Amino acid sequence: MTNEELWQTVLAQIQFSISRANFATWFKNTKIFSIEDGKAVVSVENSFSKEWLDNKYSSLILKSLRELDGNVKSIDFLISPEKNFSSSVQGHSKKDFSIPDSQLLFQELVVDQKTNLNSHYTFDNFVVGRFNEVAHAASWAVSENPGKVYNPLFLYGDVGLGKTHLLQATGNKIIELFPNKKIKYLPCERFISGMVDAIKNHQIDEFKKNLRDVDVLIMDDVQFFTGKEKSQEEFFHIFNLFHHSQKQIILSSDRSPKAIPALEERLRSRFEGGMLVDIGTPDIETRVAILKAKCEEKKMDIGEDVIEYIASNIRSSIRELEGALNRILFFKKVNNKPLDLDSAKKFLGNIISIPKKTTNFKKIIQTISDFYDLKEKEILLQTRRKEIVRPRQIAMYLLREELNESFPSIGRRFGGKDHTTAIYACLKIEKESKENDELMSEINLIRQKLYSGLNVKN
Ligand code: ADP
Ligand code: MG
């Protein structure tokens, strides 16, 4: 077994032991750097992950490693010397896993190191309906004629509606049609953090050169440029360069360029200068069609009535449609019997009955404790343990942001502290999240979980 295979097997085990969000957050971009004299060295992306893995997961990792390689006696972490954008969690075949949620996760992580493309996302498995047909047609046209038709192509729409899928499918199609073109799929957040790191390490020229060498640049979720002036400036130059040399740029965002706050005017007008397409929400027929296509893909057979039930109750996100389907698949595996409508209703009740965009104190605390693998009690009671202070401050911050609770009330909830503690926590998290991309993305992940309806354990 090579180190890479060994690590893939370890990851496959670990993902069953911890929550999906934690797995994605802490284990992405990890790999075995070396194994020598019984010591395994795992490389991680940054000091934050290093500290976290070391404190919270080292015994779990060591245990799985030792089961596979009895010679391993100890483990150490190292910040990855490679500064590229690639993800190294890759190469899993689907058949290794039986729990659907984790399959989904690994599909997300099966990416090519150079392009960051995931071959799972194709035009073939993309269902087209009225809500996305223009976006689909424009992406298709771009993939047949990169740099020539719409430049940039800018797709926008709410989360879970297929932007990433289309972007990736376009990249995959371009590779198929133009094998010599260099393609890079880059989430905006990774561009920003890559740039910050490059500046810190005096490698900014190399960073820029790597990007300039690319023929097709696909940048996902550009709303994250909000307030990042330096990154916007650098991107502006890269954008111009691409544009002048007729190299294709494809962008996505969860809102239109106009609605992205704190976006420099010149960048906004560049984004608007190409083809702007929005993706709406799928109608009921398309939702049924998507569910049927996914069933076929997963070779599962579920009743027409169950499909209708899901399609009529989950309206606003294809990701949530998939989530519901995965739960049903899981139910069938575990119970070894098909699912009738009544059991489907019961089984999906907690996804479907939670209306979008509402939350409460209990859910916030549950989601955060789940995310950080802490006990709810630990967050609420007074303890100064370092790994708890920050999650607790984030909880206070979210109570303020999401529920608009008063500071005195927030203080009372956390062991009867006075309002100054709450004010301090909220200001601190607000300030730090602006400066610290990791914290920002953690909070975004928590928010996503909070509103996905899938977080609450029952
Ligand atoms: P976004 O980037 O807009 O948040 P994604 O592209 O990640 O959304 O889509 C969420 C999930 O739904 C993905 O698993 C994707 O494959 C699936 N999906 C989205 N749109 C479609 C579609 N039209 N046909 C099939 N699957 C889709
Ligand atoms: Mg996306």
Side-chain angles (χ1 to χ4, degrees):
M1 210 188 239
T2 64
N3 281 351
E4 191 175 333
E5 285 162 350
L6 182 64
W7 189 236
Q8 294 300 327
T9 317
V10 169
L11 289 178
Q13 283 171 1
I14 287 177
Q15 62 160 341
F16 291 123
S17 335
I18 66 176
S19 75
R20 191 181 145 146
N22 273 327
F23 183 71
T25 310
W26 305 116
F27 286 89
K28 223 171 169 175
N29 294 332
T30 55
K31 57 179 144 189
I32 292 185
F33 183 73
S34 63
I35 300 185
E36 270 166 34
D37 305 327
K39 182 177 187 169
V41 179
V42 174
S43 76
V44 302
E45 231 175 3
N46 50 47
S47 58
F48 195 57
S49 308
K50 177 171 184 279
E51 197 177 318
W52 198 273
L53 286 175
D54 207 0
N55 286 334
K56 300 215 53 158
Y57 296 121
S58 59
S59 55
L60 181 66
I61 300 171
L62 186 60
K63 186 168 154 273
S64 327
L65 262 175
R66 291 183 71 159
E67 279 167 14
L68 299 160
D69 180 348
N71 296 325
V72 176
K73 299 278 181 290
S74 66
I75 180 169
D76 205 352
F77 298 89
L78 161 111
I79 298 168
S80 169
E82 292 167 37
K83 286 284 169 200
N84 56 18
F85 306 114
S86 62
S87 159
S88 51
V89 180
Q90 59 152 5
H92 261 289
S93 69
K94 273 207 274 182
K95 65 178 184 309
D96 298 340
F97 310 102
S98 50
I99 295 181
D101 254 9
S102 8
Q103 264 185 21
L104 200 71
L105 173 64
F106 268 87
Q107 282 175 10
E108 278 165 18
L109 298 178
V110 179
V111 295
D112 179 277
Q113 300 234 14
K114 276 214 183 82
T115 62
N116 291 330
L117 289 173
N118 175 339
S119 58
H120 169 76
Y121 294 113
T122 61
F123 281 118
D124 287 342
N125 58 18
F126 188 81
V127 178
V128 184
R130 263 204 308 271
F131 74 107
N132 63 9
E133 66 186 352
V134 180
H136 173 265
S139 304
W140 185 266
V142 161
S143 62
E144 288 189 313
N145 247 321
K148 304 271 162 51
V149 275
Y150 311 123
N151 205 8
L153 170 62
F154 190 106
L155 304 179
Y156 66 96
D158 267 345
V159 293
L161 290 174
K163 300 181 297 294
T164 298
H165 190 135
L166 261 184
L167 255 45
Q168 289 259 341
T170 308
N172 283 321
K173 191 76 191 169
I174 297 177
I175 290 191
E176 189 188 317
L177 299 174
F178 306 92
N180 293 329
K181 284 211 186 293
K182 283 199 206 124
I183 300 176
K184 177 77 93 190
Y185 166 87
L186 192 57
C188 178
E189 285 172 293
R190 262 206 258 170
F191 170 79
I192 296 171
S193 61
M195 207 191 78
V196 170
D197 283 353
I199 292 174
K200 222 184 312 173
N201 300 320
H202 310 288
Q203 290 172 330
I204 188 72
D205 290 336
E206 204 182 322
F207 176 84
K208 287 197 246 179
K209 184 181 173 308
N210 279 339
L211 273 183
R212 279 200 302 267
D213 284 349
V214 166
D215 299 309
V216 176
L217 180 60
I218 305 176
M219 189 175 283
D220 209 349
D221 290 318
V222 297
Q223 74 272 11
F224 288 117
F225 271 131
T226 295
K228 303 269 191 257
E229 280 161 37
K230 181 76 186 142
S231 305
Q232 288 184 27
E233 189 185 324
E234 291 298 348
F235 186 66
F236 180 74
H237 296 302
I238 292 170
F239 185 103
N240 285 343
L241 215 104
F242 269 67
H243 204 255
H244 288 149
S245 21
Q246 293 203 339
K247 295 204 285 189
Q248 182 70 47
I249 302 165
I250 310 174
L251 307 159
S252 88
S253 162
D254 67 356
R255 62 202 86 180
S256 74
K258 263 198 191 59
I260 302 176
L263 185 68
E264 265 190 70
E265 198 42 51
R266 55 180 186 170
L267 205 51
R268 189 190 315 274
S269 72
R270 286 292 185 284
F271 288 175
E272 286 174 342
M275 171 81 162
L276 278 181
V277 190
D278 75 325
I279 301 184
T281 43
D283 51 38
I284 177 90
E285 288 81 27
T286 318
R287 298 203 296 275
V288 169
I290 289 172
L291 287 169
K292 288 191 170 162
K294 304 263 170 206
C295 286
E296 205 165 296
E297 196 179 306
K298 293 175 203 285
K299 306 225 177 329
M300 66 187 279
D301 182 22
I302 65 176
E304 208 53 47
D305 51 352
V306 175
I307 290 202
E308 292 264 331
Y309 173 72
I310 301 175
S312 43
N313 283 285
I314 299 181
R315 299 189 193 90
S316 50
S317 151
I318 298 170
R319 179 170 297 132
E320 283 173 27
L321 283 179
E322 264 190 336
L325 210 54
N326 282 323
R327 286 193 148 211
I328 294 201
L329 187 71
F330 182 56
F331 178 94
K332 272 184 83 167
K333 279 236 162 81
V334 173
N335 296 292
N336 212 359
K337 64 168 192 209
L339 186 83
D340 60 32
L341 184 57
D342 276 344
S343 19
K345 280 186 182 166
K346 260 192 223 126
F347 200 59
L348 296 176
N350 64 333
I351 308 184
I352 282 173
S353 61
I354 295 167
K356 250 185 111 72
K357 299 281 173 207
T358 62
T359 191
N360 55 39
F361 171 71
K362 194 159 171 259
K363 264 200 260 171
I364 291 181
I365 300 299
Q366 269 182 351
T367 308
I368 293 179
S369 58
D370 187 40
F371 188 87
Y372 292 104
D373 274 344
L374 298 168
K375 297 201 180 69
E376 287 174 31
K377 265 204 330 255
E378 291 178 303
I379 295 185
L380 290 171
L381 294 179
Q382 308 200 13
T383 125
R384 295 189 161 274
R385 269 173 38 220
K386 200 170 139 232
E387 69 270 27
I388 291 176
V389 170
R390 183 131 98 165
R392 182 189 297 131
Q393 288 173 335
I394 293 177
M396 294 187 181
Y397 170 77
L398 287 177
L399 285 176
R400 179 78 186 165
E401 289 282 303
E402 306 301 306
L403 300 178
N404 213 4
E405 267 200 27
S406 72
F407 291 121
S409 148
I410 296 175
R412 277 195 298 275
R413 289 190 185 275
F414 294 84
K417 296 208 166 85
D418 79 10
H419 66 284
T420 52
T421 312
I423 295 176
Y424 172 78
C426 294
L427 287 178
K428 185 166 183 324
I429 295 299
E430 186 176 334
K431 178 164 179 289
E432 273 184 26
S433 63
K434 288 202 181 109
E435 291 158 0
N436 177 337
D437 297 331
E438 268 129 25
L439 180 59
M440 172 78 96
S441 50
E442 262 176 56
I443 293 175
N444 282 336
L445 271 172
I446 293 171
R447 277 211 175 91
Q448 267 172 32
K449 290 196 79 190
L450 205 51
Y451 292 116
S452 71
L454 292 165
N455 59 311
V456 183
K457 282 190 210 140
N458 44 359

